[in-house]
Every structure is written in C-alpha cells, then in structure tokens.
Amino acid sequence: MRKFLCAIVLVAAAGAAFGQAYPSKPLRLVLPYAPGGVVDFIGRTLGQRLSEQLGQAVIADNRPGAGGIIGVEATAKSAPDGYTLVLMDPAIVINTVLQDAVPYDVIRDLDTVSIVGSSPLVLAANPALPVKSVAELVAYAKAHSGQLNFASAGIGTTPHMAGELLKLRIGVPMTHVPYKGMGPAMADLVSGRVQFSFGSITAALPFLNDHRLRGLATTGAKRSSALPDLPTVIEAGLPGFEVDLWLGLFGPAHLPPAALARLNAETRKATEHPDARAAFAKVGVEPRGASPEESAVFVKAEYEKWNRVVRDAMLKGAS
C-alpha cells in the first residue's frame, strides 16, 4: 500500500511539473488550407492570442491539399506532446465518411481540444452569371442542366458538401471543381472559370465588397452579422437548407492531460478576448467555447450526422 501511494504521489507530481513546464518551446498550428480562407484567418488570429498568453511562439503552418486531409494526417501522426495542433472545419469528419482510405480515424487518432467558433457559408456567383437570387440560380441551373460549375476548397470540405446538397435539393447535375483552399477557389470564381461557390465569408468578403462577386445568400439558420443584407438560403426558398462551418482545434490522440487542459483553457480565454471577438465578427464567425469532453461529444455527433447525409444521399466518392 505504501508503494502504491508513493507511486500515486510521484505520478501526480510529474503531472504537476509537466503542467508548469508546458509549453517550453514553440507550438506548431497546422492550417490545412491555402491562405485566404476562414481557417487560415481564424487560425492566425487564434495563434497570435495563444502566443501572447502562453509566452511561446505559435507558428502557423499551411499544409493544403486533399480537402484538408494532408494537414490533419500530419497532426494525427505527430508526437502527442501538445506541440502540434490543427485547426479544422467539418471536413475533418466529412472526409472520413465521404472518401475511402482516409489515413486516420477522426475519433480514435485525434483529441479535440475545443470548438473555437462557427459561421455560415456564403453563396456567391460571378457577376457574369445572369442571376441575382437563389431562385434565379435554381431556375438558370434547371434551364442549363449540367452546364454550371461550382468551386470548393476541396473534396469533402463544407463548401463541397453544400454544393452537393444544393444539387440534390433541386435535382439538377452540376460540376464540382475542387481547389486547395477557398483562396484559389475565389480567384477562379472571380475570373469566371467557375460560375458560383459556397465559401467562407472570410474568403468571399473582399470580392463581395468591391462587387467582383455577387452574394446570393448565407447558409445559417439566421442572417449573418457580417452580411446582414443577404437572406439565408432558407429565406430564399429552400426550407431546412442549413450548413454550419464550425471550427475545431485538435491534437494527436493521447495528449498529456495537463497539456490538454491548459490548451483548452487558453483557447477559450483567447476567443473571449475583445480583439479576437472583433476579428472573428469581421468574417462572420461567432466564438464558441467548450470543454474537451463537450467538444469531443459535438464532433462525434457531427460525424454521425454527415455519415447519415452521405449514406442517404449516396454521395460516397462524389466529386
């Protein structure tokens, strides 16, 4: 019994020492998309706040490709020491149910640190496309079946799924064109290589403001504070069409409990800072905070929801 109690004391002391020492070197925050989208913007905003709070540099590492899979895989396979994290959107669960041979299990191979925020998508069109509303886009798509192309940040990303859901709701074929992030997607949308896209408000806002793109609607249950003049897709005539672009902070599975607790507390503190809240609001992101346990339950529910959507809509392997 004495040896057992001594062992408990030693483990507790080691944990306390780790908590006091962590972090003792810079952290790497993987951003699985190219610069220019909401994950990149919110990641850099969050990283700056965390760096100031933790007293260590938080280095943003853009690792675009495969709809976010490359960056998430790099994180899942990194050392579980709390020094490599990834900020990711719903594609982290969508990819695993939409695509074959994803090289990680989102539930088993990752720890959820916290849900950071959420935002609707914005449905935007190239001004050369003769539509000014969702109803006109639907009518045009039906009159030109199979001729419209829509861009996304990659296969399995939330913008991709929103486009696939639109196809299913209106019963019209359209071609999905995936990119390595919303930045490149917006560039081709502005140039007219694709006609429309569901995308992050972050990526689309500069082009909406200078009228190089035309906003048609947002995908939330209510209007976005960043684009209050745009109706929701539901208001525009498609009941139940709601897509939430939530953002979560993850690390490799089996993070030390002290590191996980510290990261969760500091992340929640960072998102509550007035500067961060103001930055989030500019791109239509509402800060959210939750414990690791609550966040893990939320992610599992999202995984199950999208699994049902992909199965029921027969989207497996859709591109």
Side-chain angles (χ1 to χ4, degrees):
M1 178 62 72
R2 181 179 298 175
K3 290 181 178 179
F4 177 71
L5 291 174
C6 288
I8 291 176
V9 171
L10 288 172
V11 169
F18 178 88
Q20 293 169 357
Y22 175 84
S24 59
K25 62 181 181 180
L27 285 72
R28 180 168 65 119
L29 178 56
V30 177
L31 306 174
Y33 300 112
V38 66
V39 171
D40 181 73
F41 178 84
I42 296 298
R44 291 176 185 276
T45 301
L46 177 63
Q48 181 180 354
R49 294 299 323 154
L50 288 176
S51 178
E52 294 176 8
Q53 293 170 197
L54 294 170
Q56 293 287 345
V58 177
I59 302 168
D61 181 9
N62 291 92
R63 300 285 294 273
I69 290 176
I70 291 173
V72 176
E73 180 185 11
T75 304
K77 294 182 177 179
S78 67
D81 54 11
Y83 289 96
T84 300
L85 305 168
V86 62
L87 185 71
M88 191 53 179
D89 61 15
I92 199 166
V93 295
I94 296 169
N95 279 325
T96 58
V97 298
L98 182 65
Q99 302 194 61
D100 295 320
V102 174
Y104 53 82
D105 183 300
V106 68
I107 305 300
R108 184 190 64 223
D109 297 333
L110 292 159
D111 279 350
T112 310
V113 175
S114 182
I115 302 302
V116 174
S118 62
S119 170
L121 298 174
V122 57
L123 172 57
N126 184 283
L129 188 68
V131 302
K132 295 183 179 180
S133 67
V134 173
E136 290 182 3
L137 175 64
V138 172
Y140 186 93
K142 289 181 176 180
H144 301 80
S145 180
Q147 296 180 33
L148 285 181
N149 299 326
F150 71 94
S152 84
I155 295 173
T157 61
T158 316
H160 169 210
M161 293 298 287
E164 293 291 346
L165 289 174
L166 179 64
K167 287 168 56 178
L168 290 169
R169 287 294 301 272
I170 68 176
V172 176
M174 292 177 279
T175 301
H176 171 227
V177 183
Y179 292 84
K180 292 184 178 182
M182 283 313 303
M186 288 293 109
D188 271 12
L189 180 56
V190 169
S191 72
R193 291 187 179 92
V194 290
Q195 285 79 51
F196 76 95
S197 177
F198 288 93
S200 67
I201 292 175
T202 314
L205 197 57
F207 305 108
L208 295 172
N209 287 340
D210 66 12
H211 306 293
R212 285 185 286 171
L213 291 179
R214 177 181 294 131
L216 303 181
T218 55
T219 65
K222 60 182 181 180
R223 293 195 180 198
S224 168
S225 59
L227 295 167
D229 293 334
L230 288 185
T232 66
V233 177
I234 296 171
E235 288 179 294
L238 292 179
F241 194 105
E242 182 180 349
V243 180
D244 179 22
L245 181 65
W246 54 265
L247 302 169
L249 187 65
F250 300 83
H254 311 300
L255 289 173
L260 179 58
R262 179 84 190 277
L263 286 167
N264 177 265
E266 297 294 347
T267 298
R268 296 171 77 173
K269 179 181 177 181
T271 59
E272 292 168 1
H273 191 279
D275 291 347
R277 294 184 71 88
F280 280 29
K282 288 180 180 178
V283 294
V285 174
E286 181 177 344
R288 292 171 59 177
S291 69
E293 295 77 17
E294 292 167 336
S295 299
V297 169
F298 173 82
V299 170
K300 186 174 182 181
E302 283 287 292
Y303 170 85
E304 292 171 349
K305 178 186 78 174
W306 285 112
N307 188 42
R308 290 192 299 270
V309 170
V310 169
R311 182 190 67 234
D312 294 347
M314 296 182 289
L315 293 177
K316 188 73 173 180
S319 61

